[in-house]
Amino acid sequence: EDKVVQSPLSLVVHEGDTVTLNCSYEVTNFRSLLWYKQEKKAPTFLFMLTSSGIEKKSGRLSSILDKKELSSILNITATQTGDSAIYLCAPRGSGSARQLTFGSGTQLTVLP
Amino acid sequence: DTAVSQTPKYLVTQMGNDKSIKCEQNLGHDTMYWYKQDSKKFLKIMFSYNNKELIINETVPNRFSPKSPDKAHLNLHINSLELGDSAVYFCASSQQARYEQYFGPGTRLTVT
């Protein structure tokens, strides 16, 4: 069975801080890993990673995959209150090619 | 324009009833999904479907059935509702299974 563990489960920081969110996974024949941000409603897509060591960036957010360590990190620099959300990691393996396995998420709270 | 839409947003019903949730996407995607998010915020895949193949998560009770009248729609029909079915149900779509998925706003189902 595919497994995903995210850490920390929750994190409280102040605006301007930098945070690193972790995702470890075990999936059959890994293909890609996706990060999503979930505020009050639907998860919104952030990044899709397929290759180790290549950083994806979007503004203050960046993510990198380590296939050897079966892990990924999501960094957020200069955090803002609008970054408060649950961040979900979802690897995809070829065993269930159309299915993502979601972690339980990291609840990030950014205080003003 | 809403990319992935669901109706209704809220659904309150009694045990034993049959209900449907509708999903539509205007992204031109060929693959659609249904997810269940429980009170612990775990997102679990229920079904993935394109015009060629339906993949069912083996843990989903057969009281749940997806129905797709066309490529842009994937409805979820639930028979004999149970208390444990209370959750938020998300529809999603992607252009082929290997690409990122886009989520609808969710339907909060409460079974009393």
Side-chain angles (χ1 to χ4, degrees):
Chain A
E1 183 180 340
D2 295 346
K3 294 180 182 178
V4 185
V5 176
Q6 291 188 245
S7 63
L9 291 180
S10 65
L11 190 56
V12 181
V13 300
H14 287 92
E15 276 191 314
D17 289 348
T18 294
V19 298
T20 298
L21 310 182
N22 301 286
C23 174
S24 298
Y25 60 86
E26 293 180 29
V27 298
T28 303
N29 296 326
F30 173 86
R31 287 290 182 263
S32 61
L33 185 143
L34 285 74
W35 282 96
Y36 284 84
K37 176 183 181 182
Q38 186 174 21
E39 295 174 86
K40 292 186 177 179
K41 293 189 175 179
T44 53
F45 172 73
L46 294 174
F47 299 111
M48 184 168 74
L49 305 157
T50 56
S51 301
S52 271
I54 297 176
E55 185 181 48
K56 292 243 178 163
K57 290 196 73 171
S58 176
R60 295 176 295 103
L61 277 66
S62 64
S63 183
I64 196 161
L65 177 67
D66 187 336
K67 290 167 85 170
K68 184 177 179 183
E69 296 296 326
L70 306 182
S71 65
S72 176
I73 61 171
L74 175 68
N75 284 317
I76 309 175
T77 59
T79 52
Q80 302 171 356
T81 55
D83 295 328
S84 296
I86 298 173
Y87 290 84
L88 299 165
C89 162
R92 177 190 288 120
S94 66
S96 51
R98 292 176 178 79
Q99 297 184 8
L100 299 175
T101 301
F102 280 85
S104 58
T106 293
Q107 172 74 63
L108 174 65
T109 302
V110 182
L111 301 175
Chain B
D1 286 342
T2 303
V4 183
S5 60
Q6 296 178 228
T7 55
K9 290 185 179 178
Y10 301 95
L11 182 55
V12 180
T13 188
Q14 292 183 327
M15 285 175 58
N17 285 348
D18 301 340
K19 291 294 179 184
S20 292
I21 306 172
K22 295 185 177 181
C23 177
E24 177 180 2
Q25 54 94 6
N26 63 6
L27 297 168
H29 288 167
D30 64 2
T31 305
M32 297 182 73
Y33 312 82
W34 277 106
Y35 286 86
K36 178 181 181 182
Q37 188 171 44
D38 60 24
S39 57
K40 295 183 178 180
K41 300 296 184 182
F42 275 101
L43 259 175
K44 292 186 179 178
I45 184 74
M46 299 177 72
F47 305 100
S48 63
Y49 182 79
N50 64 21
N51 58 3
K52 298 177 182 177
E53 190 174 10
L54 170 67
I55 297 179
I56 302 172
N57 185 316
E58 60 189 13
T59 65
V60 175
N62 58 15
R63 299 182 293 104
F64 290 78
S65 57
K67 298 185 190 302
S68 180
D70 55 58
K71 272 181 63 172
H73 297 84
L74 183 67
N75 303 325
L76 181 65
H77 190 74
I78 315 169
N79 290 326
S80 302
L81 278 156
E82 300 178 357
L83 293 176
D85 298 332
S86 296
V88 180
Y89 292 84
F90 286 100
C91 175
S93 71
S94 67
Q95 183 55 39
Q96 300 182 22
R98 63 180 181 270
Y99 295 112
E100 64 270 21
Q101 298 176 16
Y102 293 87
F103 284 77
T107 295
R108 182 173 292 278
L109 171 65
T110 303
V111 182
T112 63

